[in-house]
Amino acid sequence: MATELPTTDIRISTEAIRRRKGGTPIVCLTAYTYPVARLLDEHVDLLLIGDSVAMVLYGHKTTLGASLEMMIAHGQAVMRGSARACVVVDLPAGTYEASATQAVASARRVVDETGCQAVKLEGGVDMIGQIAAIVDAGIPVMGHIGLQPQSVEKDGGYKIKGRTEEAVAALVHDALAVESAGAFSVVIEGTVEAVAADITRRIAIPTIGIGASGDCDGQILVIDDMVGLTVDRVPKFVKEYADLRSVISHAAQTYAAEVRSRTFPGPGHVFSATKSRDDA
Ligand code: KIV
């Protein structure tokens, strides 16, 4: 059972996350719903409403199916279900790339309508104008470099980054650019291990790895992947800590058998004419 939500405002700030550079690893997970946020809040430092929500909950083939409205609705649910974790919401594709003005407007809407502490956006050197403008507007930004799922169509698939000298140099440039634009932390995804470790040593903001390196300042996974709920292919970098596919499938199978055999509902799940203390 999830513990009661604390009533005092003890949320971990983006500044506290930034200060964790080089310290105890920062524990991050994605969350998209109220009940999952309730369960995760006490265990993690940071909850991300990733645009992976489009794939994980809505069955889209890529994260390009996410909209600002979707991110806001799920951001609100996660904020209602958490009281302690730092909450970051992804800016989905098409809501920030065009200009700094567009990026600030989208970030402002997300923060105003959800109450989250920060936004995340994908991109390095190409997005420094957007990151700097959002930070100037008073909204903390988490960067996202390396494999960028919003570029999957442009890149022709999910390609690991940093396998050539040129690609390593580009990745280091991206990391330095995101840092100098004012991001409080940066996700490094789908990158050669030694490159992610090297970037972690070179920049002063925390790196959050996913398919990157154990030397990163923190780690993040998609919640449905790590609890074994993902029904399609699970990426190599995922460790499944539970097998909820089997748990749910077994529960549904047992329920179906009990309904068909009229074993459910049993005496404990129906009401008698006289009111009892156990009534719902
Ligand atoms: O959308 C997402 O879930 C993400 C994480 C995997 C970092 O960006």
Side-chain angles (χ1 to χ4, degrees), residues 29-32 48-54 56 63 71 90 120 122 142-144 147 149-150 187-189 208-210 220-223 225 237:
L29 279 171
T30 69
Y32 316 108
L48 171 72
I49 296 87
D51 57 357
S52 52
V53 67
V56 175
T63 60
M71 302 312 302
D90 255 346
K120 175 167 84 59
E122 294 182 12
M142 176 180 246
H144 185 150
L147 191 161
Q150 291 177 10
V187 168
I188 306 182
E189 178 167 357
I208 309 297
I210 174 163
I220 187 161
L221 283 175
V222 166
I223 181 64
D225 288 346
F237 55 73

Side-chain angles (χ1 to χ4, degrees), residues 87-244:
V87 174
V88 180
V89 176
D90 255 346
L91 293 185
T95 67
Y96 64 94
E97 307 90 320
S99 66
T101 309
Q102 183 199 33
V104 172
S106 297
R108 169 68 51 220
R109 214 187 128 194
V110 166
V111 170
D112 285 353
E113 294 185 31
T114 66
C116 72
Q117 281 123 305
V119 295
K120 175 167 84 59
L121 60 86
E122 294 182 12
V125 174
D126 54 335
M127 286 299 138
I128 51 176
Q130 280 82 343
I131 296 173
I134 299 172
V135 173
D136 276 356
I139 300 170
V141 175
M142 176 180 246
H144 185 150
I145 61 168
L147 191 161
Q148 294 165 36
Q150 291 177 10
S151 302
V152 63
E153 287 176 0
K154 198 174 72 194
D155 289 356
Y158 295 99
K159 304 268 167 64
I160 299 305
K161 303 288 172 162
R163 285 197 161 136
T164 64
E165 245 176 64
E166 206 186 353
V168 173
L171 211 47
V172 171
H173 269 118
D174 279 342
L176 294 170
V178 166
E179 176 187 28
S180 66
F184 74 94
S185 64
V186 60
V187 168
I188 306 182
E189 178 167 357
T191 306
V192 172
E193 187 182 7
V195 179
D198 182 46
I199 290 173
T200 299
R201 281 188 290 274
R202 282 178 185 233
I203 63 176
I205 56 172
T207 58
I208 309 297
I210 174 163
S213 166
D215 284 350
C216 287
D217 299 296
Q219 300 293 327
I220 187 161
L221 283 175
V222 166
I223 181 64
D224 289 52
D225 288 346
M226 65 85 76
V227 296
L229 251 186
T230 301
V231 284
D232 299 319
R233 200 182 138 268
V234 177
K236 170 187 157 81
F237 55 73
V238 171
K239 179 170 177 183
E240 291 189 334
Y241 288 85
D243 180 10
L244 294 195

